Amino acid sequence: MLPRAVSIVVTAGLLLASGIHTRQLSQEGRGATPSASLDEKHSAAVTRGDVPGLVVVAATRDRILYQGVFGKAEVGRERSMTADALFRIASMTKPVTSVAAMQLWEQGRFALDDPAEKYLPELANLMVFESFDNATGAYKLRPAAKKVTIRHLLTHTSGLGYGFTSPILRDFKPRDGEKYEVGPLLFEPGTQWIYGAGVDWVGRLVEKLSCENLEEYFRKRIFTPLGMSDTFYNVPETKQARLVTVHRRQDGRADAPLTELPSQPRPPSTTFNGGGGLVSTASDYIRFERMILNAGTLDSARILSTDTVAVMCKNQIGEVGVPAVKTALPNLSMDFTFINDGKDKWGLGFLFTTSQVAGKRSPGSLSWGGINNTYFWIDPARGIAGVVMMQVLPFADTKALAIYDTFERGVYQLADASREQGP
């Protein structure tokens, strides 16, 4: 998602334990290699104060291509970033939920074009905004002419939005005596795209069909098979010290300094949201990406069939396009755009890129991100995946996006150089 755009600390012990070749950088040891250049650029971004710290990992189908650890995990306590730092990945939960749903689809538990109300009665008899007056809050609703399907929920074409992506939902207040457990919808299902709460409901679908909560389901059928031992809804007490603190730019201004938000203990969750809530590491999430890159398998674990991954990795919204989004809550998100606004598409769980940008991902690549400026992409054509973990608000922060852009371009330079050198 959004592919644009300190003293460096590489925790060699942690990286070597993962089988990743690392080196300590010094002024004498730096060379003109793409890897060293990328190190220096990330380090410079932290030194400038663009972000307090970050962890980045890129991989091919069979190996780690690059890993970098930079800056601070907690500035106030001078806590250095580490390769196993834990990040709140927010909406990067959505692809995991989508994979879980597609496992159930493989088993014949539902069809993509089934009405969602067949399994989730709350989604029956939905209303659609016919008009909304932003000045007064007055609105007019009508019954939806179409039923929301599971495909609509997975692709953000259901008409469900979020308060930060829609000023209507931000300002909507039901009249006395009216209650809407779901919606109202912003448009007729299947006719437009808006980033919203559809995958939150897919999470409920997974729980209903599996008779397990998402934490249990993900652990058994995705995280444990993939060796993702550091991905949770509820972070174990013994690992909470590895959580990275979040920083915010005041009023969402790109030129505002970053302020560290107080670290507060997270009370254990007993309910789980398919649209967000997971905490993970860069190393864990790249394993999830590599599973998709390898058509559903990683090492000896088969998570999805090859055919199912192919379904997830293609346009699922037809002629509908994915447009740029103007934020309705600047303190939470800046405006965000994509590779080719209005022409990019959506698969099942991922933004689907339709255009090539020189020096970056290929058409057919998959991507998304999380509200705290965590991002990933998967490029099946080139066999490359990458993840960048930061903890900064608002979303789509211009300086965080510049780091993302630098990382992605550097990874492709590294991949090209590696290919030229041969095995």
Side-chain angles (χ1 to χ4, degrees), residues 178-193:
E178 294 184 7
K179 183 179 179 182
Y180 301 94
E181 184 173 0
V182 184
L185 304 179
L186 294 166
F187 48 77
E188 282 290 342
T191 62
Q192 298 179 50
W193 183 96

Side-chain angles (χ1 to χ4, degrees), residues 8 62 86 90 132 157 275:
I8 181 166
D62 58 2
L86 291 165
F132 185 87
T157 56

